[in-house]
Amino acid sequence: MKKILSILLAVLLLAPAAGSAFAVTDDDADVWTAKESGFTLRIPEAYREAKGLITFSDAGEGMNPGSGIVMSSATYVAMPTEEYNALKEEELEAYTSGDIDALFAVSDKLSPVEWNLFNIYGINRDRGEAELRRFLLEKDLNPDYFNGDEELIAAVTAMHENMSFREIGEKDGLRYFVCSFDPEDQITLRAAGQSDPSWLDEFKSLSADNDSLGGCVDLTGGVKLAPAAVTGSRLVFETTDLEGKPVKSEEIFSGHAVTMINMWATWCDPCKEELPALAEMAESYEKKGCQIIGLCLDAEDEETMAEARQILKEAGVSYLNIVPFEGRSELLPNKLYPTTYFVDENGTILDGTVYGAQLSKYPLILEKLLSQPVPESDGDGKGAA
């Protein structure tokens, strides 16, 4: 339970790991520039006078490419700056060395002292609060974080239901919201009541001023969103499998209610680690009219193709794996490895794209897609022949 909670809090409540970040100190500028998310924030005076360290992080769309959602956040750190910086150095060393036990040990020290102060999200495509809430809940309730802990799932769900949203404006097609979790929910979840009360009091005091943050934000725009496959568009292509045999998209997809396209690379460890489980999943879903195919993104020469075949053999994968086709990066773009798309028997792209290795999400999406009516095709092919 303790390890699960440490991982969860690192993913769920803290500032995004990707993108630029800085801490509030006497030497910092008065304005935080969140270039990836398209705004600047005039840092409130109360933040500068705080006993706790306040860090800002701007991930933009980097954590969820193709989502049309940019993310940034501020974190309150209930620990002296020197101690915190030393722990962050330990965390980085453990992460880069792959020492999982050391990473858990550092997380156990960090999770009780890092509390989410606020988030600023931008969402596109004429979507609003309801879609943003749904996206955040689905992202944060990834079963991989919980290991079946129903009590923890209920607590996080309740925290999301209490999350406040305030729209602050629109710029270049993005609607922006200041959002925050209830501080008491966070304190309860983190068992932070054991901390020095002065830290808790300051955190709650700063959180109470979140309603005024909108007046400190200036939207600058200029955000470059990652390309995304268009749901409802149709894939039409010709390529070969890893053995060099020609294949056509209509032949691949025909007769399967849903095809899961798992895009991976030979150098990507998370991609390779999930292959044995995907092999088992492919067998179990075959009788339901579903199939899994692989698209090896770096299989562009015979040496790499041979390496890919060996990796698949060792993982027990027998399902079809193909090589990149002309126009792949436009039709099925990716910024993370692996990236997984879902299409119907006509090659029409369905909802449910998964970024990164998230094994528990695949069956959930497959079952959801199988329960939906089959959409009618408009007959317009969109792809590279």
Side-chain angles (χ1 to χ4, degrees), residues 239-243 261-268 271-272 275 293-312 317 319-325 328 332 334 337-339:
T239 185
T240 69
D241 63 17
L242 287 174
E243 302 290 343
I261 306 174
N262 179 252
M263 303 198 304
W264 64 288
T266 59
W267 51 263
C268 169
C271 301
K272 292 184 287 187
L275 286 174
I293 69 168
L295 172 52
C296 187
L297 295 175
D298 61 336
E300 297 180 341
D301 56 68
E302 182 52 44
E303 181 179 355
T304 308
M305 290 171 67
E307 181 181 358
R309 291 194 296 268
Q310 183 61 31
I311 290 172
L312 294 170
V317 171
Y319 56 76
L320 175 68
N321 266 261
I322 62 176
V323 304
F325 47 84
R328 192 283 307 171
L332 295 175
N334 76 296
Y337 293 78
T339 292

Side-chain angles (χ1 to χ4, degrees), residues 111-296:
S111 62
V113 299
E114 293 182 308
W115 306 331
N116 178 267
L117 195 54
F118 67 84
N119 308 278
I120 297 179
Y121 300 124
I123 182 169
N124 76 343
R125 302 171 190 160
D126 298 321
R127 297 180 292 168
E129 179 182 330
E131 292 84 0
L132 184 54
R133 279 185 180 273
R134 182 165 55 250
F135 170 83
L136 294 173
L137 186 60
E138 290 179 354
K139 177 180 69 69
D140 291 343
L141 285 181
N142 180 352
D144 288 338
Y145 304 150
F146 298 95
N147 197 27
D149 190 322
E150 296 296 334
E151 182 179 351
L152 187 55
I153 292 173
V156 174
T157 301
M159 188 166 65
H160 270 274
E161 292 174 348
N162 293 335
M163 193 177 187
S164 66
F165 285 73
R166 181 187 176 193
E167 187 166 2
I168 56 176
E170 182 175 344
K171 186 73 172 181
D172 293 346
L174 289 175
R175 296 173 63 185
Y176 286 85
F177 295 81
V178 174
C179 312
S180 58
F181 294 104
D182 185 292
E184 295 292 348
D185 286 347
Q186 292 192 66
I187 291 170
T188 299
L189 186 62
R190 293 165 179 267
Q194 300 176 9
S195 301
D196 182 337
S198 64
W199 297 108
L200 300 179
D201 290 343
E202 183 173 73
F203 170 61
K204 287 187 282 188
S205 176
L206 293 174
S207 297
D209 291 334
N210 282 350
D211 287 343
S212 64
L213 282 172
C216 300
V217 177
D218 294 314
L219 302 180
T220 57
V223 174
K224 294 182 179 179
L225 298 175
V230 179
T231 300
S233 64
R234 187 182 173 202
L235 297 180
V236 180
F237 60 82
E238 294 183 11
T239 185
T240 69
D241 63 17
L242 287 174
E243 302 290 343
K245 299 177 182 178
V247 293
K248 295 182 179 181
S249 56
E250 58 265 35
E251 296 172 351
I252 296 173
F253 304 136
S254 178
H256 297 90
V258 179
T259 295
M260 176 176 147
I261 306 174
N262 179 252
M263 303 198 304
W264 64 288
T266 59
W267 51 263
C268 169
D269 288 338
C271 301
K272 292 184 287 187
E273 288 171 1
E274 68 175 5
L275 286 174
L278 291 182
E280 294 182 6
M281 191 184 303
E283 292 184 9
S284 65
Y285 272 91
E286 184 177 3
K287 57 187 176 184
K288 296 184 178 183
C290 298
Q291 69 170 341
I292 298 176
I293 69 168
L295 172 52
C296 187

